[in-house]
Structure formats: structure tokens, C-alpha cells
């Protein structure tokens, strides 16, 4: 192995070891996602469902796009 590559590899390895040791000694403080992640997800799902439930049931949306049964043929002119 080239000396420069070997030095870079040991430097990277030492940095990773240092980061792992530093993280192992620190107390884990809960973040926002640890505290409220599931609640926020369920709340968002409830709001999403409520809004789309209202839109799909209360607005007069024509769901059948086929003109069959809604149009009547005109009399044929000769």
C-alpha cells in the first residue's frame, strides 16, 4: 500500500473510532421525533383523512365521466 493511502486510511479509521467513543459516552436526549413522532404522524393522518373525507362526501362531484345515460340523441334531419 502506498504511504499516503495508508496514512489516509488510518486517519479515517481514527476519526470513526473517535466519533463512536464520543457518542457512546453521551447521554441520549430525546429529540422532537423521539417525543412526538408517532403522535404527529397519527395527527397528520387524521387531518388528511378528515379533509379528504369532507371533500369526497360534501362537494357535488360528478364521478361518472361517461356520457351514456346523460345525453339524449337528437332527431335525425334529412
Amino acid at each position: 500500500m502506498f504511504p499516503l493511502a495508508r496514512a489516509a486510511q488510518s486517519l479515517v479509521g481514527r476519526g470513526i473510532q473517535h466519533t463512536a467513543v464520543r457518542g457512546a459516552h453521551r447521554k441520549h436526549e430525546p429529540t422532537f421525533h423521539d417525543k412526538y413522532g408517532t403522535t404527529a404522524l397519527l395527527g397528520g393522518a387524521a387531518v388528511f383523512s378528515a379533509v379528504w373525507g369532507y371533500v369526497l362526501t360534501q362537494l357535488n362531484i360528478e364521478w361518472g365521466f361517461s356520457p351514456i345515460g346523460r345525453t339524449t340523441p337528437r332527431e335525425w334531419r334529412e
Side-chain angles (χ1 to χ4, degrees):
M1 201 181 252
F2 296 113
L4 183 62
R6 192 173 345 136
Q9 183 181 13
S10 70
L11 185 65
V12 169
R14 242 184 280 135
I16 291 172
Q17 285 176 343
H18 180 70
T19 303
V21 168
R22 186 177 58 210
H25 291 297
R26 189 182 338 163
K27 287 186 177 179
H28 176 70
E29 298 174 3
T31 62
F32 175 83
H33 297 289
D34 293 334
K35 289 181 182 177
Y36 309 110
T38 305
T39 307
L41 179 68
L42 293 176
V47 170
F48 178 85
S49 300
V51 168
W52 278 107
Y54 173 79
V55 168
L56 295 176
T57 57
Q58 298 300 316
L59 297 179
N60 293 325
I61 299 174
E62 291 283 336
W63 291 107
F65 297 114
S66 173
I68 297 174
R70 280 191 272 157
T71 59
T72 55
R74 287 195 230 159
E75 292 286 330
W76 181 259
R77 295 184 196 172
E78 289 193 38

